Amino acid sequence: ESKQFARMLKLICANWQLEEKELERQLVAESNQLQRELGVTSDDLAPRPKNNKQKVERLKALKKKRLEESSRLEKEVEGLWKTLNVGEDDQKAFKEKVEAT
């Protein structure tokens, strides 16, 4: 009976280790995806993250910060268009020219 119990404990531990490895693999994959998406390297995340979970958290924070900055800049540009009284056709032409470069 005790041998059976010990065997069960070993199986449970092995299962936990597999789950832990899978979670770590998922964190690495998410981290890599966010790094590609944001165009950053691990060096850009100074101080260096201690683990993959921390790295993913920093990358998500960086992504959020960049989205907020982008939104703020878009609003600022819209305000400038209005201030300068630039028509929609000219705005569209300018945007196309910028995207082409």
Side-chain angles (χ1 to χ4, degrees), residues 45-77:
L45 302 174
R48 281 191 94 93
K50 293 178 183 159
N51 56 47
N52 285 313
K53 186 175 182 181
Q54 197 178 60
K55 188 176 181 182
V56 167
E57 288 170 359
R58 287 208 188 140
L59 285 164
K60 284 181 177 180
L62 179 61
K63 182 178 180 179
K64 182 180 178 185
K65 184 178 176 183
R66 286 189 177 177
L67 288 172
E68 288 170 352
E69 180 68 9
S70 177
S71 177
R72 185 189 66 75
L73 288 172
E74 283 178 15
K75 288 177 184 173
E76 198 173 306
V77 167

Side-chain angles (χ1 to χ4, degrees), residues 28-61:
V28 168
E30 185 177 8
S31 170
N32 291 339
Q33 172 62 32
L34 284 165
Q35 279 187 257
R36 279 191 302 275
E37 200 175 294
L38 297 169
V40 297
T41 65
S42 294
D43 295 335
D44 296 327
L45 302 174
R48 281 191 94 93
K50 293 178 183 159
N51 56 47
N52 285 313
K53 186 175 182 181
Q54 197 178 60
K55 188 176 181 182
V56 167
E57 288 170 359
R58 287 208 188 140
L59 285 164
K60 284 181 177 180

